[in-house]
C-alpha cells in the first residue's frame, strides 16, 4: 500500500474507532501499520488483562483467534471483533478436545495446565490457564505432590519443568511451527556475528531446550541470555545497558523494539520466523471490521463459564 493511502486509512480508522467507541488491542507480532492504530499493544497476558478493564463496549482484537476468544471469555458483556476469522494458530491446533479428554482419563488425579494458545473448548477442560510470562508461577502454585498435564507446547513445557524442578509433569508434544523453526544453529550463527550482543528467547522456540542446557553448563554467560514472553522481552531490552540484541521470536516484535529504543540494534535470530496467521491482519481488514462490525467472536456460555475459571485462576496468580 502507498504511504499516502495507508496514512489516509489510518486516519479514518482512528476517527471510526472514536466515533464507535471501539478499543483496538494488537499483539506484539502484528504488522507495523496495525500496531500504529492500536490503543494497546502487548503480549497474550497483557492483552487479556486489558480486555477485562477497558471501558469501551467493543474490542477489535488484532491478533489470532484464540486471543480474541480469550477476550470474549473474560468480558462476556463486550462485543469482540477480529479483522480476519481465518487467523488461526498452529500451536492451538496441536491438541483436540478428544485428545485432551483421553489424556485426562489416563491421569485422573492430574491438574491440567494449558497455555493460552488453545481454543475455548480446550480451556473449558483445564484447571489452570497460563501464558509464556506466568507459566512458571502457575506451575509453582500447584502442590508438588500433584501430577501435572502441561499442554500443548513442548518447548515451553520443558522450560517450565526445568525452572520448577518438577518431575511429575507430563508434557504434550505440540509446537508452534514458527518458534520451533528457530534452531540452535540459527542462534549460534547470529550470536557469533555480534560478539557483545545480549540474547533474548521466547520459551516456545525450538532452540530453548538446548540453550537452557548450554546456560546451565556455563557455555553462555547466563546474564546475557534471557528467556521471556514478548512483553518481557520488550521490557528487558529497554532496561538493559547492552546496545545489541539477538531476538529469538516472531519478527513482528522488532518494530516496537526499534521504535522504543532507537539507539539500540536488534537482529532476528531467524528472518524466517514470521507467523502467517498474525500477518493475515491488515489495515484494510481492520477498517472493514470497524465499518461492518461483522466478524464477531462468540463463545457458547457453557464453554465460556468453564474456561473463565481456568483463566481467572491464572490471573489471580500472576
Ligand atoms: P506472548 O506474546 O504471550 O509471549 O505469546 C507469544 C505467542 O506466540 C503468541 O502467539
Ligand atoms: Fe500461534 Fe506460533 Fe503464530 Fe503465535 S507465532 S500465533 S503460537 S502459530
Amino acid at each position: 500500500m502507498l504511504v499516502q493511502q495507508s496514512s489516509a486509512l489510518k486516519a479514518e480508522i482512528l476517527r471510526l474507532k472514536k466515533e464507535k467507541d471501539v478499543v483496538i488491542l494488537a499483539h506484539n507480532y502484528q504488522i507495523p501499520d496495525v500496531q500504529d492504530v492500536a490503543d494497546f499493544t502487548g503480549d497474550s497476558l497483557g492483552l487479556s488483562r486489558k480486555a477485562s478493564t477497558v471501558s469501551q463496549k467493543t474490542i477489535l482484537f488484532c491478533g489470532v483467534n484464540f486471543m480474541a476468544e480469550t477476550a470474549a471469555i473474560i468480558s462476556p458483556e463486550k462485543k469482540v471483533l477480529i479483522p480476519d476469522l481465518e487467523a488461526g494458530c498452529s500451536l492451538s491446533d496441536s491438541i483436540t478436545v478428544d485428545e485432551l479428554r483421553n489424556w485426562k482419563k489416563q491421569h485422573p488425579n492430574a491438574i491440567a495446565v494449558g497455555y493460552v494458545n488453545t481454543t475455548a473448548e480446550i480451556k473449558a477442560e483445564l484447571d489452570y490457564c497460563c501464558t509464556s510470562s506466568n507459566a512458571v508461577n502457575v506451575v509453582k502454585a500447584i502442590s508438588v505432590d500433584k501430577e501435572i498435564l502441561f499442554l500443548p507446547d513442548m518447548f515451553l513445557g520443558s522450560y517450565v519443568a526445568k525452572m520448577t524442578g518438577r518431575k511429575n509433569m507430563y508434557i504434550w508434544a505440540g509446537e508452534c511451527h514458527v518458534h520451533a523453526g528457530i534452531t540452535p544453529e540459527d542462534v549460534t550463527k547470529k550470536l557469533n556475528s555480534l560478539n557483545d550482543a545480549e540474547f533474548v528467547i521466547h520459551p516456545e522456540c525450538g532452540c530453548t531446550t538446548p540453550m537452557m542446557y548450554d546456560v546451565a553448563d556455563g557455555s553462555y554467560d547466563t546474564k546475557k541470555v534471557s528467556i521471556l514472553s514478548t512483553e518481557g522481552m520488550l521490557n528487558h531490552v529497554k532496561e538493559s545497558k547492552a546496545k545489541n540484541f539477538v531476538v529469538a521470536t516472531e519478527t513482528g516484535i522488532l518494530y516496537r523494539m526499534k521504535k522504543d529504543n532507537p539507539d539500540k540494534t536488534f537482529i532476528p535470530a531467524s528472518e524466517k520466523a514470521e507467523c502467517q496467521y498474525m500477518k493475515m491482519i491488515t489495515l484494510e481488514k481492520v477498517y472493514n471490521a470497524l465499518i461492518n462490525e461483522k466478524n464477531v467472536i462468540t463463545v457458547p456460555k457453557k464453554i465460556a463459564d468453564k474456561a473463565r475459571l481456568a483463566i481467572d485462576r491464572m490471573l489471580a496468580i500472576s
Side-chain angles (χ1 to χ4, degrees), residues 27 29 43-44 67 115 117 132 179 202 204 229-230 278:
H27 188 264
Y29 299 157
D43 66 2
S44 317
M67 295 181 175
Y115 196 31
N117 297 42
S132 54
H179 287 90
H202 194 279
E204 281 175 29
S229 73
T230 56
M278 285 283 179

Side-chain angles (χ1 to χ4, degrees), residues 174-286:
E175 62 177 31
C176 150
H177 71 295
V178 180
H179 287 90
I182 303 176
T183 63
E185 293 71 38
D186 287 331
V187 172
T188 312
K189 217 161 76 192
K190 290 291 166 67
L191 281 176
N192 288 347
S193 73
L194 214 72
N195 263 346
D196 58 341
E198 270 201 22
F199 179 43
V200 286
I201 329 176
H202 194 279
E204 281 175 29
C205 287
C207 60
T208 311
T209 311
M211 293 293 301
M212 272 180 334
Y213 291 100
D214 287 344
V215 170
D217 77 8
S219 306
Y220 289 101
D221 175 352
T222 41
K223 283 198 289 297
K224 290 187 177 163
V225 183
S226 309
I227 301 176
L228 297 160
S229 73
T230 56
E231 200 62 23
M233 285 181 174
L234 284 153
N235 292 333
H236 177 84
V237 300
K238 197 181 244 175
E239 279 154 25
S240 168
K241 290 202 167 44
K243 286 277 174 223
N244 300 319
F245 299 85
V246 173
V247 182
T249 191
E250 212 271 356
T251 55
I253 199 169
L254 296 167
Y255 175 61
R256 229 181 108 195
M257 276 185 176
K258 289 177 182 166
K259 199 164 99 177
D260 293 353
N261 309 279
D263 55 331
K264 297 182 178 178
T265 305
F266 302 97
I267 299 177
S270 165
E271 285 80 5
K272 295 194 300 280
E274 263 208 6
C275 173
Q276 69 267 42
Y277 303 112
M278 285 283 179
K279 271 36 183 189
M280 286 170 85
I281 311 298
T282 61
L283 218 45
E284 288 90 342
K285 289 180 192 173
V286 173

Side-chain angles (χ1 to χ4, degrees), residues 132-145:
S132 54
S133 63
N134 62 22
V136 170
N137 287 344
V138 168
V139 166
K140 276 186 184 163
I142 298 167
S143 165
V144 281
D145 55 333

Side-chain angles (χ1 to χ4, degrees), residues 91-106:
L91 181 54
S92 82
D93 286 348
S94 64
I95 186 162
T96 65
V97 183
D98 287 343
E99 285 171 331
L100 176 53
R101 286 186 185 140
N102 282 336
W103 203 28
K104 282 169 60 172
K105 264 188 209 143
Q106 289 159 27

Side-chain angles (χ1 to χ4, degrees), residues 162-173:
K162 174 96 184 153
M163 294 303 286
T164 57
R166 197 92 189 199
K167 298 281 177 277
N168 53 354
M169 194 169 137
Y170 299 90
I171 300 167
W172 190 258

Side-chain angles (χ1 to χ4, degrees), residues 37-181:
V37 294
D39 295 282
F40 301 101
T41 306
D43 66 2
S44 317
L45 179 62
L47 294 177
S48 305
R49 285 190 187 287
K50 230 357 135 196
S52 66
T53 55
V54 290
S55 60
Q56 289 88 342
K57 295 270 177 291
T58 305
I59 297 170
L60 177 51
F61 209 112
C62 298
V64 295
N65 230 290
F66 75 81
M67 295 181 175
E69 267 188 354
T70 308
I73 293 166
I74 295 180
S75 308
E77 72 294 348
K78 289 184 180 150
K79 185 172 183 181
V80 179
L81 304 167
I82 189 165
D84 191 328
L85 287 165
E86 300 299 312
C89 168
S90 60
L91 181 54
S92 82
D93 286 348
S94 64
I95 186 162
T96 65
V97 183
D98 287 343
E99 285 171 331
L100 176 53
R101 286 186 185 140
N102 282 336
W103 203 28
K104 282 169 60 172
K105 264 188 209 143
Q106 289 159 27
H107 302 273
N109 298 317
I111 302 289
V113 179
Y115 196 31
V116 69
N117 297 42
T118 45
T119 61
E121 268 188 303
I122 294 279
K123 287 190 181 81
E125 294 286 327
L126 300 174
D127 296 296
Y128 288 87
C129 192
C130 72
T131 74
S132 54
S133 63
N134 62 22
V136 170
N137 287 344
V138 168
V139 166
K140 276 186 184 163
I142 298 167
S143 165
V144 281
D145 55 333
K146 284 277 178 199
E147 278 187 346
I148 291 179
L149 303 181
F150 190 94
L151 64 126
D153 190 77
M154 61 179 165
F155 298 111
L156 177 66
S158 318
Y159 168 70
V160 172
K162 174 96 184 153
M163 294 303 286
T164 57
R166 197 92 189 199
K167 298 281 177 277
N168 53 354
M169 194 169 137
Y170 299 90
I171 300 167
W172 190 258
E175 62 177 31
C176 150
H177 71 295
V178 180
H179 287 90

